[in-house]
């Protein structure tokens, strides 16, 4: 199917790539169908991924694997919130967090308090607010800058 997007224009989305959020996402419960859009050719090279609504061209959120930022990220998620996703296989469970990029890029943050959990086997997903004492706005600009500098130096 072809969909229109605000950032990428018209794109082709395979039906098998549609992710279903039974309850929508925070702030947008009416939108339940999304796809992941990578702005690089190789998904393995992507650090920022775009969660694009199938039904609303303007609804697109940058997301990132939290382990790329905080390698000890391991939130406690109650089983009741995961049940709608079906049986979760650790090898087929994806966890993302939303990324906020304000006009002052140095104030870029990720939301560690409301991860997005995706069951890649059945394409069911949920954004879950967790009880752990984790920040909604975890600053990442300095960390990303440090890592970019280390990569330049070949460390």
């Amino acid at each position: 199917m072809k969909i229109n997007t605000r950032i990428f224009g018209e794109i082709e989305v395979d039906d098998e790539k549609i992710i279903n959020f039974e309850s929508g996402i925070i702030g947008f419960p009416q939108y339940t169908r999304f796809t992941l859009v990578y702005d690089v050719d190789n998904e393995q090279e992507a650090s920022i991924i775009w969660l694009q609504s199938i039904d609303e061209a303007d609804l697109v959120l940058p997301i990132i694997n939290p382990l790329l930022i905080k390698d000890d990220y391991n939130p406690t998620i109650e089983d009741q919130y995961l049940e709608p996703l079906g049986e979760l296989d650790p090898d087929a469970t994806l966890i993302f967090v939303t990324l906020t990029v304000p006009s002052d890029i140095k104030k870029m943050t990720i939301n560690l308090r409301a991860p997005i959990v995706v069951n890649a086997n059945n394409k069911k997903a949920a954004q879950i607010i967790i009880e752990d004492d984790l920040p909604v706005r975890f600053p990442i600009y300095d960390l990303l800058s440090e890592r970019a500098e280390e990569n330049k130096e070949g460390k």
Side-chain angles (χ1 to χ4, degrees), residues 45-73:
E45 293 175 7
S47 54
I48 296 175
I49 304 164
W50 300 90
L51 184 65
Q52 173 66 56
S53 170
I54 298 294
D55 303 307
E56 175 53 57
D58 287 338
L59 180 53
V60 59
L61 300 171
I63 60 174
I64 191 168
N65 177 340
L67 296 176
L68 294 175
I69 304 296
K70 193 165 171 31
D71 59 6
D72 63 346
Y73 183 70

Side-chain angles (χ1 to χ4, degrees), residues 50-138:
W50 300 90
L51 184 65
Q52 173 66 56
S53 170
I54 298 294
D55 303 307
E56 175 53 57
D58 287 338
L59 180 53
V60 59
L61 300 171
I63 60 174
I64 191 168
N65 177 340
L67 296 176
L68 294 175
I69 304 296
K70 193 165 171 31
D71 59 6
D72 63 346
Y73 183 70
N74 188 19
T76 304
I77 301 175
E78 301 294 327
D79 289 342
Q80 69 191 35
Y81 299 117
L82 297 173
E83 285 174 9
L85 303 182
E87 187 175 335
L88 291 171
D89 171 357
D91 294 331
T93 302
L94 307 172
I95 298 181
F96 300 105
V97 292
T98 56
L99 177 68
T100 300
V101 185
S103 57
D104 179 356
I105 197 166
K106 292 180 179 180
K107 294 182 179 176
M108 185 175 7
T109 63
I110 57 174
N111 180 347
L112 296 175
R113 194 81 178 265
I116 293 170
V117 181
V118 179
N119 182 338
N121 288 332
N122 63 12
K123 308 299 186 281
K124 290 183 179 182
Q127 186 173 22
I128 301 165
I129 298 174
I130 58 172
E131 299 298 321
D132 293 354
D133 188 23
L134 293 167
V136 171
R137 292 181 184 92
F138 183 79

Side-chain angles (χ1 to χ4, degrees), residues 16-36:
E16 294 175 11
K17 300 279 184 172
I18 296 174
I19 300 168
N20 293 291
F21 286 77
E22 186 177 289
S23 302
I25 58 174
I26 295 171
F28 303 96
Q30 69 274 34
Y31 300 113
T32 59
R33 300 181 320 144
F34 290 81
T35 193
L36 300 178

Side-chain angles (χ1 to χ4, degrees), residues 1-5 8-18 35-38 52 54:
M1 113 176 51
K2 290 186 180 193
I3 64 168
N4 288 313
T5 70
F8 301 103
E10 185 176 83
I11 61 171
E12 184 79 29
V13 177
D14 187 336
D15 287 345
E16 294 175 11
K17 300 279 184 172
I18 296 174
T35 193
L36 300 178
V37 179
Y38 301 85
Q52 173 66 56
I54 298 294

